[in-house]
């Protein structure tokens, strides 16, 4: 019976994670109702064909969920009941923006929808956060470890986590994510793949800053969506195995594969896929670069953006989609993104289907770009 299934609201429902979550719920018939809210119209969201049913217009509301006046339209349902699960997949995902942008679009959004969810007694509110909130350590960070956010996104995500936890009556779960990759991904892995395509065309070696041991942990989008649903269902069913005394009042889960991905992993896969030489600048050269990071980043971007445009032109690609080899300075820090995901497995009983990033999974990402005619 559909009526026995939870009703679901996804904020940021056309974003990368939001659309995959909608599709997972739709294809597995997990919900009685799915509503997607996004500032962007579906026609402008680069939606691949297999998302059309899950993200159809009858499920979609265009609204800015950070605005007070939009909340009634977002949360009100025809039958007068409240949503069972709300997933906040919204917020600013671009790097290197002004503080004010994150304050309004990430922190402001989280608090607006969190307060509304508490007021309406929503059964479970899942807030997506980032593993960049942790203070890097030699061991992978567990959920209770020290925090020291090292990107602007993380600074405001951590503020959102802390403020949401203070909202009375909010049934909150926090999920912290590493680099999420998979078909159609437009960040992190996409940047590396675009750069590799340029170095392949130029016949040059692709070199990373720092060393092969810099940790850049990952999770596949399919595991991320399964984990988000598993966590909400677990919360709804009574939070089995959760010990508030030792684990804290708000359930927090790292979602991260078991591959302990580092720069060496990625360089190895890229070298194989593209047939190019890959290497590392090492500590000495990288430390010199650190002193002048702005000009280093500008130089790299100058080197790759022209050839990338040429590749697109030669391939007759006039609408290249969201892909670019443009490198963000914030992503060039020598800071480990290293997380321990065992709590999700032991407490919720979750199992990863894609426990490590592989050459095959990366090739699948490139195939998805080709299908969309984004790839030169």
């Amino acid at each position: 019976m559909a009526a026995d299934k939870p009703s679901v609201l996804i904020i940021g429902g056309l974003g990368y994670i939001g659309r995959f979550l909608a599709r997972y719920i739709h294809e597995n018939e997990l919900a009685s109702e799915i509503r997607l809210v996004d500032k962007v119209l579906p026609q402008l969201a680069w939606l691949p064909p297999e998302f059309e049913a899950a993200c159809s217009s009858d499920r979609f509301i265009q609204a800015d969920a950070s605005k007070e006046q939009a909340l009634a339209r977002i949360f009100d349902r025809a039958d007068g009941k409240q949503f069972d699960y709300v997933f906040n997949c919204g917020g600013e995902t671009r790097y290197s923006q002004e503080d004010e942008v994150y304050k309004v679009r990430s922190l402001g959004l989280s608090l607006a929808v969190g307060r509304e969810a508490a007021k309406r007694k929503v059964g479970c509110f899942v807030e997506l956060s980032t593993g960049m909130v942790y203070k890097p350590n030699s061991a992978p960070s567990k959920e209770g470890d020290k925090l020291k956010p090292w990107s602007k996104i993380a600074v405001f995500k951590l503020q959102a986590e802390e403020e949401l936890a203070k909202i009375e009556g909010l049934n909150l779960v926090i999920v912290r994510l590493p680099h999420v990759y998979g078909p159609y991904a437009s960040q992190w892995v996409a940047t590396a793949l675009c750069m590799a395509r340029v170095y392949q065309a130029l016949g040059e070696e692709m070199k990373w800053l720092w060393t092969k041991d810099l940790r850049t942990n990952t999770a596949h989008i399919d595991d991320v969506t399964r984990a988000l649903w598993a966590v909400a269902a677990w919360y709804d069913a009574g939070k089995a195995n959760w010990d508030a005394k030792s684990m804290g009042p708000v359930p927090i889960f790292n979602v991260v594969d078991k591959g302990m991905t580092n720069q060496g992993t990625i360089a190895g896969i890229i070298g194989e896929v593209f047939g190019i030489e890959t290497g590392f600048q090492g500590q000495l050269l990288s430390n010199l670069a650190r002193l002048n990071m702005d000009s280093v980043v500008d130089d790299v971007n100058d080197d790759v953006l022209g050839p990338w445009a040429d590749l697109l032109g030669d391939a007759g690609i006039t609408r290249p989609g969201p892909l670019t080899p443009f490198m963000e300075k914030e992503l060039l820090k020598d800071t480990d993104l290293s997380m321990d995901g065992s709590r999700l497995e032991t407490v919720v009983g979750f199992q990863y289907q894609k426990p490590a990033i592989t050459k095959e999974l990366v090739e699948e990402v490139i195939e998805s770009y080709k299908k969309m005619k984004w790839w030169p």
Side-chain angles (χ1 to χ4, degrees):
M1 275 289 291
D4 299 328
K5 295 175 181 177
S7 53
V8 176
L9 171 63
I10 305 176
I11 310 289
L14 296 184
Y16 186 62
I17 294 172
R19 66 179 62 176
F20 271 91
L21 179 60
R23 192 177 117 196
Y24 174 73
I25 295 168
H26 169 75
E27 289 180 352
N28 292 283
E29 299 180 351
L30 298 171
S32 57
E33 180 188 340
I34 306 173
R35 178 180 292 175
L36 310 179
V37 175
D38 209 291
K39 289 202 308 268
V40 177
L41 280 167
Q43 299 87 314
L44 302 174
W46 305 106
L47 274 181
E50 64 266 40
F51 292 87
E52 279 167 13
C55 304
S56 59
S57 56
D58 57 329
R59 292 180 166 169
F60 176 74
I61 291 179
Q62 187 187 22
D64 181 347
S66 67
K67 301 274 191 285
E68 191 78 26
Q69 61 271 26
L71 292 171
R73 200 162 59 89
I74 289 168
F75 278 84
D76 285 349
R77 296 173 63 203
D79 62 5
K81 291 181 180 167
Q82 301 302 341
F83 283 101
D84 296 304
Y85 302 168
V86 174
F87 295 91
N88 181 21
C89 304
E92 184 54 73
T93 54
R94 293 174 303 169
Y95 292 93
S96 315
Q97 306 295 305
E98 296 296 323
D99 284 6
E100 197 52 39
V101 172
Y102 298 111
K103 210 173 272 179
V104 173
R105 292 189 190 163
S106 289
L107 178 59
L109 169 79
S110 293
L111 298 185
V113 291
R115 288 186 189 116
E116 192 68 19
K119 198 167 81 185
R120 292 171 180 258
K121 299 184 172 49
V122 163
C124 179
F125 181 88
V126 182
E127 171 77 1
L128 273 60
S129 188
T130 169
M132 293 180 186
V133 296
Y134 292 112
K135 182 175 195 265
N137 200 337
S138 53
S141 298
K142 296 187 168 178
E143 289 85 351
D145 286 354
K146 284 201 174 112
L147 302 172
K148 189 186 177 187
W150 51 273
S151 71
K152 277 194 188 182
I153 288 176
V155 167
F156 289 95
K157 268 299 175 190
L158 183 56
Q159 283 181 33
E161 286 188 25
E162 291 167 348
E163 293 300 315
L164 286 169
K166 295 176 194 163
I167 296 174
E168 209 165 310
L170 181 62
N171 295 314
L172 173 65
V173 182
I174 292 164
V175 170
R176 292 179 181 152
L177 298 169
H179 293 300
V180 179
Y181 75 98
Y184 313 111
S186 64
Q187 282 192 317
W188 188 70
V189 74
T191 308
L193 293 175
C194 293
M195 290 179 88
R197 178 69 187 91
V198 168
Y199 287 111
Q200 181 190 44
L202 298 173
E204 289 176 14
E205 182 182 12
M206 180 167 171
K207 278 196 159 183
W208 276 259
L209 277 180
W210 321 115
T211 68
K212 68 178 182 4
D213 301 315
L214 183 68
R215 289 168 288 176
T216 54
N217 283 187
T218 50
H220 191 281
I221 185 64
D222 291 348
D223 280 333
V224 171
T225 52
R226 289 175 52 248
L228 290 172
W229 186 262
V231 161
W234 164 86
Y235 191 102
D236 193 29
K239 296 191 283 191
N241 309 319
W242 188 261
D243 177 26
K245 215 178 236 153
S246 65
M247 298 173 175
V250 173
I252 301 175
F253 294 99
N254 290 338
V255 176
V256 57
D257 67 29
K258 301 151 89 73
M260 298 174 80
T261 311
N262 60 22
Q263 286 201 138
T265 318
I266 300 301
I269 290 172
I270 278 179
E272 273 192 70
V273 170
F274 289 90
I276 58 174
E277 293 290 322
T278 59
F280 298 88
Q281 303 288 9
Q283 215 59 50
L284 185 68
L285 272 174
S286 298
N287 282 334
L288 286 172
R290 187 207 309 267
L291 300 173
N292 207 353
M293 197 54 104
D294 284 338
S295 76
V296 168
V297 173
D298 288 345
D299 287 349
V300 170
N301 286 329
D302 285 348
D303 287 346
V304 295
L305 290 174
W308 175 253
D310 294 341
L311 284 170
L312 293 175
D314 293 346
I317 296 170
T318 49
R319 295 179 73 224
L323 300 186
T324 171
F326 183 83
M327 177 54 78
E328 291 289 357
K329 191 175 90 174
E330 277 195 294
L331 282 178
L332 282 178
K333 288 185 176 165
D334 60 332
T335 316
D336 285 308
L337 177 58
S338 173
M339 301 159 69
D340 179 323
S342 56
R343 175 185 281 183
L344 182 69
E345 296 175 282
T346 53
V347 173
V348 179
F350 183 79
Q351 290 182 318
Y352 289 88
Q353 290 177 352
K354 292 170 179 160
I357 191 167
T358 61
K359 178 180 175 232
E360 290 68 32
L361 288 171
V362 169
E363 286 173 333
E364 201 177 83
V365 177
I366 296 170
E367 282 309 310
S368 75
Y369 298 158
K370 288 179 178 171
K371 195 169 97 182
M372 293 297 283
K373 301 195 169 34
W374 292 346
W375 189 254

